[in-house]
């Protein structure tokens, strides 16, 4: 019960939107395709769905090539950015759509619709018009509709990106719960979303998959500098790792998991925080976030770095020390 993609290439004229991609989604696992806008994520998802023809390679289910199998016979569920509900049907009518197509009898349809609405947190919404729902509710209905016929694979294309930030965070947590045990491929450009939803993350860039692994591994050891920058590491510094401690020009930081030798560290803003001892700098800019302040700090050598401070830290000069939580190992040169 698994999806495998082999050497898949999809072209739009001269542009290879997807280039020689290999990808696997194991039974009961959720894989996130993560990458910047325009890198080919949706094209790959659409090719898996059968909505986009490929010029080379294969999409297989349980090893069998799906080349001749049309979209509606793949038994894949689809959820898009903007729900795409049927406006003339109520919620129950939308959720039951796939069941009607499969000629499931009416009482079984009703039971399944109620079950799904309960799962997505909309119990009792059957009679509501789809046009009267908020954006978040529409996405929940779209998810229930896709899941109702028990698809063997669920494909989600930026399912949360049309929603505002607070709603997105809540729905991402709910979606992670709903997707547990489901076989799913989800496209997103948002790291937080990918890391909340997925068992494995496949990072895409310019039509290719550049790294695949469990979220913690991809977060901790991005495959290369560009991936590190995409994953929020604004500063890259050479370091030496010895006995699980990395030393670089910005100080020392305990990375017990890092192998000894020369390395390149990627620092996210959270890697630098005010401390009693460390490197001194001048605060150039202060941006308030919900529960912290993002600082732009100029160091003695003129270089500017991002750092994170508490809301009450208002001094114009700061001493910054490294926090292992924000540090990634970009390359080992041991
Ligand atoms: P992503 O989902 O990562 O944002 P897409 O798969 O939508 O990226 O697009 C990948 C590339 O293919 C982009 O350069 C985009 O402009 C191009 N593209 C997407 N759809 C089409 C299309 N129907 N015709 C021509 N070019 C397209």
């Amino acid at each position: 019960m698994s999806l495998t993609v082999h050497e898949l290439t999809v072209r739009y004229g001269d542009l290879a939107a997807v280039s020689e991609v290999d990808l696997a989604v194991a039974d009961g696992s959720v894989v996130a395709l993560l990458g910047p806008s325009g890198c080919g994520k949706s094209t790959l998802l659409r090719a898996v769905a059968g909505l986009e023809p490929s010029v080379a390679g294969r999409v297989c289910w349980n090893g069998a090539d799906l080349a001749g199998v049309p979209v509606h016979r793949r038994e894949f569920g689809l959820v898009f950015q903007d729900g795409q509900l049927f406006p003339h049907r109520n919620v129950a009518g939308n959720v039951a759509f796939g069941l009607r197509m499969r000629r499931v009898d009416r009482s079984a349809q009703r039971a399944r619709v109620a079950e799904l609405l309960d799962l997505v947190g909309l119990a009792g919404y059957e009679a509501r018009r789809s046009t009267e729902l908020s954006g978040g509710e529409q996405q929940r209905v779209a998810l229930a509709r896709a899941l109702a016929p028990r698809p063997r694979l669920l494909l989600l294309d930026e399912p949360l990106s049309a929603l505002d930030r607070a709603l997105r965070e809540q729905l991402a947590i709910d979606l992670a719960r709903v997707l547990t045990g489901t076989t799913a491929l989800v496209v997103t450009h948002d790291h937080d979303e990918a890391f909340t939803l997925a068992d494995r993350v496949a990072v895409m860039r310019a039509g290719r998959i550049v790294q695949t692994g469990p979220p913690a591994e991809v977060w901790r050891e991005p495959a290369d500098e560009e991936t590190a920058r995409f994953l929020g590491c604004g500063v890259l510094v050479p370091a030496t790792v010895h006995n699980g401690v990395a030393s670089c020009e910005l100080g020392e930081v305990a990375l017990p998991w890092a192998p000894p030798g020369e390395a390149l560290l990627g620092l996210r803003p959270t890697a630098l925080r005010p401390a009693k001892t460390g490197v001194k700098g001048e605060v150039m800019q202060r941006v308030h976030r919900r529960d912290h302040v993002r600082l732009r700090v100029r160091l003695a050598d003129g270089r500017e770095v991002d750092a994170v401070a508490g809301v009450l830290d208002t001094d114009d000069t700061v001493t910054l020390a490294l926090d292992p939580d924000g540090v990634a190992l970009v390359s080992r040169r041991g």
Side-chain angles (χ1 to χ4, degrees), residues 237-265 267 322-324 327-329:
V237 285
T240 306
V241 181
H242 183 63
N243 285 341
V245 176
S247 311
C248 68
E249 64 199 57
L250 297 173
E252 290 194 339
V253 60
L255 300 177
W257 46 271
E262 299 300 308
L264 187 66
L265 299 186
L267 307 184
L322 288 166
D323 180 334
V327 178
L329 186 67

Side-chain angles (χ1 to χ4, degrees), residues 120 135-137 139-140 159-160 163 166-176 197:
V120 300
E137 289 167 346
Q139 285 309 80
R140 288 173 193 267
L160 307 176
L163 309 174
L167 192 57
R168 218 156 69 206
E169 282 175 12
Q170 182 53 49
L171 210 52
I173 294 165
D174 289 355
L175 187 55
L197 296 177

Side-chain angles (χ1 to χ4, degrees), residues 10-13 15-18 33-46 52 157-158 187-189 204 206-207:
V10 180
R11 289 188 164 279
Y12 297 116
L15 173 78
V18 172
L33 275 177
L34 173 66
S37 178
C39 73
K41 306 180 295 295
S42 294
T43 303
L44 175 54
L45 188 99
R46 291 169 58 80
E52 210 69 69
D157 192 352
E158 300 273 5
V187 159
T188 179
H189 65 277
M204 259 187 110

Side-chain angles (χ1 to χ4, degrees), residues 95 108-119 122-124 126:
V95 177
Q109 277 187 33
R110 269 197 300 277
R112 182 77 179 139
V113 167
E115 181 187 339
L116 264 306
L117 288 179
D118 192 37
L119 181 71
L122 293 179
E126 279 88 342

Side-chain angles (χ1 to χ4, degrees), residues 195-210:
F195 293 114
T196 305
L197 296 177
D199 301 305
R200 292 179 71 77
V201 173
V203 183
M204 259 187 110
R205 186 166 70 236
R208 295 179 185 273
I209 290 181
V210 292

Side-chain angles (χ1 to χ4, degrees), residues 304-326:
E304 290 192 9
V305 294
D306 286 323
V308 162
V311 179
L312 300 177
D313 292 320
T314 54
D315 293 344
D316 290 338
T317 58
V318 279
T319 304
L320 298 173
L322 288 166
D323 180 334
D325 230 27

